[in-house]
Amino acid sequence: AQKITQTQPGMFVQEKEAVTLDCTYDTSDQSYGLFWYKQPSSGEMIFLIYQGSYDEQNATEGRYSLNFQKARKSANLVISASQLGDSAMYFCAMREGGGSSNTGKLIFGQGTTLQVKP
Amino acid sequence: DAGITQSPRHKVTETGTPVTLRCHQTENHRYMYWYRQDPGHGLRLIHYSYGVKDTDKGEVSDGYSVSRSKTEDFLLTLESATSSQTSVYFCAIKGQGERQPQHFGDGTRLSIL
């Protein structure tokens, strides 16, 4: 069965340092996609980064990068040079399957709360 | 920002009453989704739609129904609200293509007393 696991309920990081948020997944599909979202205390869900299962390179978007290890079924989010505004809850999510007819349904992990210390 | 609006943003109601939440999009996207968010569970899919009048169940669909009579509107109905349905409800939309992310509305905080 499809499953996403985020084992870190809460984390702290010093401002300007890098931090890694863990995400492991379980799926029997060969084609799938992994997403990371940020949820600040104001409550909105903000899309950060996407990794496709067939992508040859790890995804990067500004200060966000995804450490994708397919054999280990992990898709960890790396935030470089943390800022106070990075304090939020972070969710890893997976889309199972692919192709033009895919419905795009996501399953989410339980989330990791990140606090950036000044 | 993705053109997606949820209404109401907050609602308090009593057990046993019907409740309808509305999701409105201006992006003409085919796919729309309803999730609920509860502490310790992340977001869980309730129902989704892949076109007008085309809907299907998600992981936690019991006690909920949906309707989509036009592309821009996706309604979530709690036929007879229970306290266990107290939650934050998010609507999301997605464009065509597997690499497209879902974009979320601002959420509806629903309290059932």
Side-chain angles (χ1 to χ4, degrees), chain A residues 31 35 37 39 43-45 47 50-52 55 89 91 95 97-111, chain B residues 9 30-31 33 35 37 40-45 48 50 57-59 90 94 96-106:
Chain A
S31 176
F35 299 80
Y37 285 86
Q39 186 178 43
E44 70 269 31
M45 295 286 289
F47 166 70
Y50 170 79
Q51 180 83 43
D55 291 346
M89 179 164 281
F91 290 98
R95 182 209 72 238
S100 60
S101 62
N102 189 275
T103 60
K105 294 186 296 180
L106 297 178
I107 63 159
F108 284 80
Q110 294 179 329
Chain B
R9 293 293 317 281
R30 177 182 177 189
Y31 299 101
Y33 312 84
Y35 293 89
Q37 182 177 20
H41 288 279
L43 277 75
R44 292 180 292 174
L45 182 65
Y48 66 99
Y50 46 96
K57 295 179 179 180
E59 178 189 359
F90 284 97
K94 191 185 86 67
Q96 198 70 26
E98 64 181 31
R99 302 185 73 86
Q100 292 299 311
Q102 291 184 18
H103 293 285
F104 287 79
D106 289 336

Short mmCIF file of all heavy atoms in Angstrom, two decimals, chain A residues 31 35 37 39 43-45 47 50-52 55 89 91 95 97-111, chain B residues 9 30-31 33 35 37 40-45 48 50 57-59 90 94 96-106:
data_model
loop_
_atom_site.label_atom_id
_atom_site.label_comp_id
_atom_site.label_asym_id
_atom_site.label_seq_id
_atom_site.Cartn_x
_atom_site.Cartn_y
_atom_site.Cartn_z
N SER A 31 6.27 4.34 -11.72
CA SER A 31 6.09 5.75 -12.03
C SER A 31 5.35 6.43 -10.88
O SER A 31 4.25 6.00 -10.51
CB SER A 31 5.30 5.92 -13.33
OG SER A 31 5.05 7.28 -13.60
N PHE A 35 6.26 15.36 -3.87
CA PHE A 35 6.07 16.79 -3.70
C PHE A 35 6.39 17.19 -2.27
O PHE A 35 6.14 16.42 -1.34
CB PHE A 35 4.61 17.18 -3.97
CG PHE A 35 4.12 16.87 -5.36
CD1 PHE A 35 3.73 15.57 -5.70
CD2 PHE A 35 4.02 17.86 -6.32
CE1 PHE A 35 3.26 15.28 -6.98
CE2 PHE A 35 3.54 17.58 -7.60
CZ PHE A 35 3.17 16.29 -7.91
N TYR A 37 5.48 20.42 0.41
CA TYR A 37 4.69 21.62 0.66
C TYR A 37 5.10 22.23 2.00
O TYR A 37 5.49 21.51 2.92
CB TYR A 37 3.19 21.28 0.71
CG TYR A 37 2.57 21.01 -0.63
CD1 TYR A 37 2.61 19.74 -1.20
CD2 TYR A 37 1.92 22.03 -1.33
CE1 TYR A 37 2.03 19.50 -2.44
CE2 TYR A 37 1.33 21.80 -2.56
CZ TYR A 37 1.40 20.53 -3.11
OH TYR A 37 0.81 20.29 -4.33
N GLN A 39 3.66 24.74 5.12
CA GLN A 39 2.47 25.33 5.72
C GLN A 39 2.89 26.25 6.87
O GLN A 39 3.17 25.78 7.98
CB GLN A 39 1.51 24.25 6.21
CG GLN A 39 0.18 24.83 6.71
CD GLN A 39 -0.80 23.76 7.15
OE1 GLN A 39 -0.43 22.81 7.82
NE2 GLN A 39 -2.08 23.94 6.79
N GLY A 43 -1.47 29.07 7.85
CA GLY A 43 -2.33 27.98 7.42
C GLY A 43 -2.34 27.61 5.95
O GLY A 43 -2.80 26.52 5.61
N GLU A 44 -1.86 28.46 5.07
CA GLU A 44 -1.94 28.11 3.65
C GLU A 44 -0.91 27.05 3.29
O GLU A 44 0.10 26.90 3.96
CB GLU A 44 -1.75 29.36 2.77
CG GLU A 44 -0.36 29.95 2.76
CD GLU A 44 -0.17 31.01 3.82
OE1 GLU A 44 -0.82 30.93 4.90
OE2 GLU A 44 0.65 31.92 3.58
N MET A 45 -1.17 26.32 2.23
CA MET A 45 -0.28 25.28 1.74
C MET A 45 0.46 25.83 0.52
O MET A 45 -0.17 26.21 -0.47
CB MET A 45 -1.07 24.03 1.34
CG MET A 45 -1.76 23.34 2.50
SD MET A 45 -0.61 22.45 3.54
CE MET A 45 -0.16 21.09 2.45
N PHE A 47 3.33 25.10 -2.38
CA PHE A 47 4.13 24.12 -3.10
C PHE A 47 5.58 24.57 -3.17
O PHE A 47 5.87 25.73 -3.49
CB PHE A 47 3.58 23.93 -4.50
CG PHE A 47 4.51 23.20 -5.43
CD1 PHE A 47 4.79 21.85 -5.25
CD2 PHE A 47 5.14 23.86 -6.47
CE1 PHE A 47 5.66 21.19 -6.09
CE2 PHE A 47 6.00 23.20 -7.32
CZ PHE A 47 6.27 21.86 -7.12
N TYR A 50 9.20 19.51 -6.73
CA TYR A 50 8.68 18.25 -7.27
C TYR A 50 9.83 17.39 -7.79
O TYR A 50 10.78 17.91 -8.39
CB TYR A 50 7.71 18.52 -8.41
CG TYR A 50 7.32 17.28 -9.19
CD1 TYR A 50 6.37 16.41 -8.68
CD2 TYR A 50 7.92 16.97 -10.41
CE1 TYR A 50 6.01 15.26 -9.38
CE2 TYR A 50 7.57 15.82 -11.11
CZ TYR A 50 6.62 14.98 -10.59
OH TYR A 50 6.26 13.84 -11.28
N GLN A 51 9.70 16.07 -7.56
CA GLN A 51 10.65 15.09 -8.09
C GLN A 51 9.89 13.96 -8.74
O GLN A 51 9.05 13.33 -8.08
CB GLN A 51 11.53 14.53 -6.97
CG GLN A 51 12.56 13.51 -7.41
CD GLN A 51 13.83 14.15 -7.96
OE1 GLN A 51 14.35 15.10 -7.40
NE2 GLN A 51 14.34 13.59 -9.05
N GLY A 52 10.14 13.68 -10.00
CA GLY A 52 9.54 12.55 -10.66
C GLY A 52 10.41 11.32 -10.49
O GLY A 52 11.64 11.42 -10.41
N ASP A 55 13.12 11.06 -13.03
CA ASP A 55 14.04 12.19 -13.19
C ASP A 55 15.47 11.73 -12.86
O ASP A 55 15.68 11.12 -11.81
CB ASP A 55 13.65 13.35 -12.28
CG ASP A 55 12.34 14.00 -12.70
OD1 ASP A 55 11.89 13.73 -13.83
OD2 ASP A 55 11.78 14.76 -11.89
N MET A 89 5.41 24.22 9.10
CA MET A 89 5.30 22.77 8.99
C MET A 89 5.55 22.40 7.52
O MET A 89 5.07 23.10 6.61
CB MET A 89 3.92 22.29 9.44
CG MET A 89 3.74 20.79 9.32
SD MET A 89 2.34 20.14 10.24
CE MET A 89 2.99 20.08 11.88
N PHE A 91 5.35 19.30 4.61
CA PHE A 91 4.71 18.03 4.27
C PHE A 91 5.34 17.44 3.02
O PHE A 91 5.54 18.15 2.02
CB PHE A 91 3.21 18.22 4.01
CG PHE A 91 2.41 18.54 5.23
CD1 PHE A 91 2.06 19.83 5.53
CD2 PHE A 91 2.01 17.52 6.09
CE1 PHE A 91 1.33 20.13 6.66
CE2 PHE A 91 1.27 17.81 7.22
CZ PHE A 91 0.92 19.11 7.51
N ARG A 95 2.38 11.18 -5.36
CA ARG A 95 1.40 10.83 -6.37
C ARG A 95 1.80 9.46 -6.91
O ARG A 95 2.91 9.28 -7.38
CB ARG A 95 1.41 11.84 -7.51
CG ARG A 95 0.37 11.57 -8.61
CD ARG A 95 0.81 12.08 -9.96
NE ARG A 95 1.88 11.29 -10.52
CZ ARG A 95 3.08 11.78 -10.87
NH1 ARG A 95 3.35 13.06 -10.72
NH2 ARG A 95 3.99 10.98 -11.38
N GLY A 97 1.64 6.46 -9.58
CA GLY A 97 1.33 6.31 -10.99
C GLY A 97 1.66 7.57 -11.75
O GLY A 97 2.06 8.60 -11.20
N GLY A 98 1.50 7.48 -13.08
CA GLY A 98 1.78 8.62 -13.92
C GLY A 98 1.00 8.54 -15.22
O GLY A 98 0.07 7.76 -15.34
N GLY A 99 1.38 9.39 -16.17
CA GLY A 99 0.72 9.40 -17.45
C GLY A 99 -0.37 10.45 -17.53
O GLY A 99 -0.80 11.01 -16.51
N SER A 100 -0.88 10.65 -18.74
CA SER A 100 -1.83 11.72 -18.99
C SER A 100 -3.18 11.47 -18.33
O SER A 100 -3.94 12.41 -18.09
CB SER A 100 -2.02 11.91 -20.49
OG SER A 100 -2.50 10.71 -21.07
N SER A 101 -3.51 10.23 -18.03
CA SER A 101 -4.81 9.93 -17.42
C SER A 101 -4.74 9.85 -15.91
O SER A 101 -5.76 9.60 -15.26
CB SER A 101 -5.34 8.61 -17.97
OG SER A 101 -4.47 7.56 -17.64
N ASN A 102 -3.59 10.10 -15.35
CA ASN A 102 -3.46 10.02 -13.89
C ASN A 102 -4.28 11.10 -13.21
O ASN A 102 -4.29 12.25 -13.66
CB ASN A 102 -1.99 10.15 -13.50
CG ASN A 102 -1.76 9.85 -12.04
OD1 ASN A 102 -1.89 10.72 -11.19
ND2 ASN A 102 -1.42 8.62 -11.75
N THR A 103 -4.96 10.74 -12.12
CA THR A 103 -5.84 11.70 -11.45
C THR A 103 -5.10 12.67 -10.56
O THR A 103 -5.69 13.62 -10.06
CB THR A 103 -6.88 10.96 -10.60
OG1 THR A 103 -6.20 10.20 -9.62
CG2 THR A 103 -7.75 10.05 -11.47
N GLY A 104 -3.82 12.39 -10.30
CA GLY A 104 -3.03 13.31 -9.51
C GLY A 104 -3.29 13.27 -8.02
O GLY A 104 -2.84 14.14 -7.28
N LYS A 105 -4.00 12.25 -7.54
CA LYS A 105 -4.27 12.15 -6.11
C LYS A 105 -2.97 12.09 -5.33
O LYS A 105 -2.01 11.44 -5.75
CB LYS A 105 -5.08 10.89 -5.80
CG LYS A 105 -6.47 10.88 -6.38
CD LYS A 105 -7.23 9.66 -5.89
CE LYS A 105 -6.60 8.38 -6.41
NZ LYS A 105 -7.34 7.19 -5.94
N LEU A 106 -2.94 12.73 -4.19
CA LEU A 106 -1.76 12.72 -3.33
C LEU A 106 -2.08 12.07 -2.00
O LEU A 106 -3.19 12.18 -1.49
CB LEU A 106 -1.28 14.15 -3.06
CG LEU A 106 -0.81 14.98 -4.25
CD1 LEU A 106 -0.43 16.38 -3.78
CD2 LEU A 106 0.35 14.32 -4.95
N ILE A 107 -1.07 11.39 -1.46
CA ILE A 107 -1.13 11.04 -0.05
C ILE A 107 0.00 11.80 0.65
O ILE A 107 1.07 11.98 0.08
CB ILE A 107 -1.02 9.53 0.21
CG1 ILE A 107 0.32 8.98 -0.26
CG2 ILE A 107 -2.16 8.77 -0.45
CD1 ILE A 107 0.66 7.68 0.42
N PHE A 108 -0.28 12.23 1.86
CA PHE A 108 0.61 13.09 2.59
C PHE A 108 1.21 12.38 3.80
O PHE A 108 0.57 11.51 4.41
CB PHE A 108 -0.14 14.33 3.10
CG PHE A 108 -0.41 15.36 2.04
CD1 PHE A 108 -1.46 15.20 1.16
CD2 PHE A 108 0.39 16.48 1.93
CE1 PHE A 108 -1.72 16.15 0.18
CE2 PHE A 108 0.15 17.44 0.95
CZ PHE A 108 -0.90 17.25 0.07
N GLY A 109 2.43 12.79 4.15
CA GLY A 109 2.99 12.40 5.43
C GLY A 109 2.38 13.25 6.53
O GLY A 109 1.58 14.16 6.29
N GLN A 110 2.79 12.96 7.75
CA GLN A 110 2.21 13.64 8.90
C GLN A 110 2.81 15.02 9.14
O GLN A 110 2.30 15.79 9.94
CB GLN A 110 2.38 12.78 10.15
CG GLN A 110 1.58 11.49 10.08
CD GLN A 110 1.79 10.64 11.33
OE1 GLN A 110 2.84 10.66 11.94
NE2 GLN A 110 0.77 9.88 11.70
N GLY A 111 3.90 15.31 8.48
CA GLY A 111 4.49 16.63 8.57
C GLY A 111 5.61 16.73 9.59
O GLY A 111 5.69 15.95 10.54
N ARG B 9 -14.88 30.66 5.26
CA ARG B 9 -13.54 30.43 5.82
C ARG B 9 -13.63 29.84 7.22
O ARG B 9 -12.74 29.14 7.66
CB ARG B 9 -12.76 31.74 5.86
CG ARG B 9 -12.41 32.29 4.49
CD ARG B 9 -11.41 31.40 3.72
NE ARG B 9 -10.32 30.92 4.55
CZ ARG B 9 -9.26 31.63 4.88
NH1 ARG B 9 -9.14 32.88 4.43
NH2 ARG B 9 -8.32 31.12 5.64
N ARG B 30 -9.09 20.90 -14.70
CA ARG B 30 -9.94 19.72 -14.72
C ARG B 30 -10.06 19.08 -13.34
O ARG B 30 -11.11 18.58 -12.96
CB ARG B 30 -9.35 18.72 -15.72
CG ARG B 30 -10.09 17.40 -15.80
CD ARG B 30 -9.39 16.46 -16.78
NE ARG B 30 -10.05 15.16 -16.82
CZ ARG B 30 -9.57 14.11 -17.44
NH1 ARG B 30 -8.40 14.17 -18.08
NH2 ARG B 30 -10.23 12.97 -17.43
N TYR B 31 -8.96 19.02 -12.62
CA TYR B 31 -8.93 18.26 -11.38
C TYR B 31 -9.15 19.16 -10.17
O TYR B 31 -8.51 20.21 -10.03
CB TYR B 31 -7.58 17.54 -11.22
CG TYR B 31 -7.30 16.56 -12.33
CD1 TYR B 31 -6.44 16.88 -13.37
CD2 TYR B 31 -7.90 15.30 -12.32
CE1 TYR B 31 -6.19 15.98 -14.39
CE2 TYR B 31 -7.64 14.40 -13.34
CZ TYR B 31 -6.80 14.74 -14.37
OH TYR B 31 -6.55 13.85 -15.37
N TYR B 33 -9.95 18.72 -5.69
CA TYR B 33 -9.82 17.78 -4.58
C TYR B 33 -10.31 18.44 -3.28
O TYR B 33 -10.17 19.65 -3.10
CB TYR B 33 -8.35 17.39 -4.37
CG TYR B 33 -7.61 16.98 -5.63
CD1 TYR B 33 -7.04 17.96 -6.45
CD2 TYR B 33 -7.45 15.65 -5.99
CE1 TYR B 33 -6.37 17.61 -7.60
CE2 TYR B 33 -6.77 15.30 -7.14
CZ TYR B 33 -6.24 16.29 -7.94
OH TYR B 33 -5.56 15.94 -9.09
N TYR B 35 -9.65 17.86 0.87
CA TYR B 35 -8.88 17.20 1.92
C TYR B 35 -9.38 17.70 3.27
O TYR B 35 -9.90 18.79 3.39
CB TYR B 35 -7.39 17.55 1.82
CG TYR B 35 -6.67 17.03 0.61
CD1 TYR B 35 -6.64 17.77 -0.57
CD2 TYR B 35 -6.00 15.81 0.64
CE1 TYR B 35 -5.96 17.30 -1.68
CE2 TYR B 35 -5.31 15.34 -0.47
CZ TYR B 35 -5.31 16.10 -1.62
OH TYR B 35 -4.63 15.63 -2.72
N GLN B 37 -7.62 18.21 7.25
CA GLN B 37 -6.35 18.21 7.98
C GLN B 37 -6.65 18.13 9.46
O GLN B 37 -7.34 19.00 10.01
CB GLN B 37 -5.53 19.46 7.69
CG GLN B 37 -4.19 19.45 8.40
CD GLN B 37 -3.33 20.65 8.09
OE1 GLN B 37 -3.80 21.69 7.63
NE2 GLN B 37 -2.03 20.51 8.30
N GLY B 40 -1.71 15.22 13.62
CA GLY B 40 -1.19 13.87 13.62
C GLY B 40 -1.52 13.06 12.38
O GLY B 40 -1.06 11.92 12.24
N HIS B 41 -2.31 13.64 11.47
CA HIS B 41 -2.71 12.89 10.27
C HIS B 41 -2.29 13.56 8.97
O HIS B 41 -2.55 13.03 7.90
CB HIS B 41 -4.22 12.71 10.24
CG HIS B 41 -4.72 11.73 11.26
ND1 HIS B 41 -4.69 10.36 11.08
CD2 HIS B 41 -5.26 11.93 12.48
CE1 HIS B 41 -5.19 9.77 12.14
NE2 HIS B 41 -5.55 10.69 13.00
N GLY B 42 -1.71 14.70 9.01
CA GLY B 42 -1.42 15.40 7.76
C GLY B 42 -2.72 15.72 7.04
O GLY B 42 -3.76 15.97 7.67
N LEU B 43 -2.70 15.70 5.71
CA LEU B 43 -3.90 15.92 4.91
C LEU B 43 -4.38 14.58 4.37
O LEU B 43 -3.57 13.79 3.87
CB LEU B 43 -3.61 16.87 3.75
CG LEU B 43 -3.64 18.36 4.05
CD1 LEU B 43 -2.38 18.78 4.80
CD2 LEU B 43 -3.80 19.17 2.78
N ARG B 44 -5.67 14.37 4.43
CA ARG B 44 -6.25 13.14 3.90
C ARG B 44 -7.33 13.47 2.88
O ARG B 44 -8.16 14.34 3.11
CB ARG B 44 -6.83 12.30 5.05
CG ARG B 44 -5.78 11.73 5.98
CD ARG B 44 -6.40 10.91 7.11
NE ARG B 44 -7.17 11.75 8.03
CZ ARG B 44 -7.90 11.27 9.03
NH1 ARG B 44 -7.98 9.98 9.21
NH2 ARG B 44 -8.55 12.09 9.83
N LEU B 45 -7.31 12.74 1.79
CA LEU B 45 -8.21 13.00 0.68
C LEU B 45 -9.62 12.49 1.00
O LEU B 45 -9.80 11.34 1.39
CB LEU B 45 -7.68 12.32 -0.59
CG LEU B 45 -8.47 12.53 -1.87
CD1 LEU B 45 -8.43 14.00 -2.29
CD2 LEU B 45 -7.92 11.65 -2.98
N TYR B 48 -12.51 13.55 -4.83
CA TYR B 48 -11.88 14.35 -5.88
C TYR B 48 -12.75 14.32 -7.14
O TYR B 48 -13.67 13.49 -7.26
CB TYR B 48 -10.47 13.87 -6.17
CG TYR B 48 -10.37 12.48 -6.77
CD1 TYR B 48 -10.21 12.31 -8.14
CD2 TYR B 48 -10.44 11.35 -5.96
CE1 TYR B 48 -10.11 11.05 -8.69
CE2 TYR B 48 -10.34 10.09 -6.49
CZ TYR B 48 -10.17 9.94 -7.85
OH TYR B 48 -10.08 8.67 -8.39
N TYR B 50 -12.54 14.73 -11.54
CA TYR B 50 -11.71 14.79 -12.74
C TYR B 50 -12.49 15.34 -13.92
O TYR B 50 -12.08 15.15 -15.07
CB TYR B 50 -11.11 13.41 -13.06
CG TYR B 50 -12.08 12.26 -12.99
CD1 TYR B 50 -12.70 11.79 -14.15
CD2 TYR B 50 -12.37 11.64 -11.78
CE1 TYR B 50 -13.58 10.73 -14.10
CE2 TYR B 50 -13.27 10.58 -11.71
CZ TYR B 50 -13.87 10.13 -12.87
OH TYR B 50 -14.75 9.08 -12.81
N LYS B 57 -14.30 8.68 -4.75
CA LYS B 57 -14.02 8.71 -3.33
C LYS B 57 -12.52 8.74 -3.07
O LYS B 57 -11.73 8.17 -3.83
CB LYS B 57 -14.63 7.50 -2.65
CG LYS B 57 -16.15 7.47 -2.69
CD LYS B 57 -16.68 6.22 -2.02
CE LYS B 57 -18.19 6.19 -2.04
NZ LYS B 57 -18.73 4.96 -1.39
N GLY B 58 -12.17 9.35 -1.93
CA GLY B 58 -10.81 9.28 -1.45
C GLY B 58 -10.72 8.39 -0.24
O GLY B 58 -11.58 7.53 0.01
N GLU B 59 -9.70 8.62 0.53
CA GLU B 59 -9.38 7.77 1.69
C GLU B 59 -10.41 7.85 2.82
O GLU B 59 -10.68 6.86 3.50
CB GLU B 59 -8.00 8.19 2.22
CG GLU B 59 -7.52 7.46 3.44
CD GLU B 59 -6.24 8.09 4.01
OE1 GLU B 59 -5.76 9.09 3.42
OE2 GLU B 59 -5.76 7.60 5.03
N PHE B 90 -9.45 21.64 3.18
CA PHE B 90 -8.75 22.30 2.08
C PHE B 90 -9.27 21.79 0.75
O PHE B 90 -9.44 20.58 0.55
CB PHE B 90 -7.24 22.02 2.15
CG PHE B 90 -6.52 22.80 3.19
CD1 PHE B 90 -6.25 22.24 4.42
CD2 PHE B 90 -6.09 24.10 2.94
CE1 PHE B 90 -5.57 22.96 5.40
CE2 PHE B 90 -5.41 24.83 3.90
CZ PHE B 90 -5.16 24.25 5.13
N LYS B 94 -5.63 21.22 -9.79
CA LYS B 94 -4.41 20.81 -10.48
C LYS B 94 -4.61 20.91 -11.98
O LYS B 94 -5.65 20.49 -12.52
CB LYS B 94 -4.05 19.36 -10.12
CG LYS B 94 -2.66 18.95 -10.59
CD LYS B 94 -2.39 17.48 -10.34
CE LYS B 94 -2.90 16.59 -11.45
NZ LYS B 94 -2.17 16.79 -12.72
N GLN B 96 -3.33 20.11 -16.02
CA GLN B 96 -3.03 18.89 -16.76
C GLN B 96 -1.53 18.61 -16.72
O GLN B 96 -0.71 19.52 -16.81
CB GLN B 96 -3.49 19.04 -18.21
CG GLN B 96 -3.62 17.74 -18.97
CD GLN B 96 -4.77 16.89 -18.50
OE1 GLN B 96 -5.76 17.41 -17.98
NE2 GLN B 96 -4.66 15.59 -18.68
N GLY B 97 -1.18 17.32 -16.62
CA GLY B 97 0.23 16.95 -16.62
C GLY B 97 0.65 16.44 -15.26
O GLY B 97 0.32 17.03 -14.23
N GLU B 98 1.41 15.34 -15.27
CA GLU B 98 1.73 14.69 -14.00
C GLU B 98 2.71 15.50 -13.16
O GLU B 98 2.78 15.32 -11.95
CB GLU B 98 2.29 13.29 -14.25
CG GLU B 98 3.61 13.26 -15.00
CD GLU B 98 4.10 11.83 -15.23
OE1 GLU B 98 3.27 10.91 -15.36
OE2 GLU B 98 5.33 11.65 -15.28
N ARG B 99 3.45 16.43 -13.76
CA ARG B 99 4.40 17.20 -12.99
C ARG B 99 3.74 18.42 -12.34
O ARG B 99 4.36 19.10 -11.52
CB ARG B 99 5.55 17.67 -13.88
CG ARG B 99 6.30 16.56 -14.56
CD ARG B 99 7.50 17.06 -15.34
NE ARG B 99 8.57 17.48 -14.44
CZ ARG B 99 9.49 16.65 -13.95
NH1 ARG B 99 9.47 15.37 -14.27
NH2 ARG B 99 10.43 17.10 -13.16
N GLN B 100 2.48 18.67 -12.70
CA GLN B 100 1.79 19.83 -12.13
C GLN B 100 1.45 19.58 -10.66
O GLN B 100 0.86 18.55 -10.32
CB GLN B 100 0.51 20.12 -12.91
CG GLN B 100 0.76 20.61 -14.32
CD GLN B 100 1.55 21.89 -14.32
OE1 GLN B 100 1.24 22.84 -13.61
NE2 GLN B 100 2.59 21.93 -15.14
N PRO B 101 1.79 20.50 -9.79
CA PRO B 101 1.43 20.33 -8.38
C PRO B 101 -0.02 20.71 -8.14
O PRO B 101 -0.63 21.42 -8.95
CB PRO B 101 2.36 21.31 -7.67
CG PRO B 101 2.54 22.42 -8.66
CD PRO B 101 2.55 21.75 -10.02
N GLN B 102 -0.53 20.27 -7.04
CA GLN B 102 -1.83 20.75 -6.60
C GLN B 102 -1.62 22.12 -5.93
O GLN B 102 -0.65 22.32 -5.20
CB GLN B 102 -2.47 19.78 -5.62
CG GLN B 102 -2.88 18.48 -6.27
CD GLN B 102 -3.60 17.55 -5.32
OE1 GLN B 102 -4.10 17.96 -4.27
NE2 GLN B 102 -3.69 16.27 -5.68
N HIS B 103 -2.56 23.02 -6.19
CA HIS B 103 -2.55 24.33 -5.53
C HIS B 103 -3.77 24.40 -4.64
O HIS B 103 -4.87 24.03 -5.05
CB HIS B 103 -2.57 25.45 -6.57
CG HIS B 103 -1.31 25.53 -7.37
ND1 HIS B 103 -0.13 26.04 -6.87
CD2 HIS B 103 -1.04 25.15 -8.63
CE1 HIS B 103 0.80 25.96 -7.79
NE2 HIS B 103 0.29 25.42 -8.88
N PHE B 104 -3.55 24.90 -3.43
CA PHE B 104 -4.56 24.82 -2.40
C PHE B 104 -5.24 26.16 -2.13
O PHE B 104 -4.62 27.22 -2.24
CB PHE B 104 -3.92 24.32 -1.09
CG PHE B 104 -3.57 22.87 -1.13
CD1 PHE B 104 -2.43 22.41 -1.76
CD2 PHE B 104 -4.41 21.93 -0.52
CE1 PHE B 104 -2.12 21.07 -1.81
CE2 PHE B 104 -4.09 20.58 -0.55
CZ PHE B 104 -2.95 20.15 -1.20
N GLY B 105 -6.51 26.06 -1.75
CA GLY B 105 -7.19 27.21 -1.19
C GLY B 105 -6.71 27.47 0.23
O GLY B 105 -5.86 26.76 0.76
N ASP B 106 -7.25 28.52 0.82
CA ASP B 106 -6.79 28.94 2.15
C ASP B 106 -7.39 28.13 3.29
O ASP B 106 -7.02 28.34 4.45
CB ASP B 106 -7.09 30.42 2.37
CG ASP B 106 -6.21 31.31 1.52
OD1 ASP B 106 -5.10 30.85 1.13
OD2 ASP B 106 -6.62 32.45 1.21
#
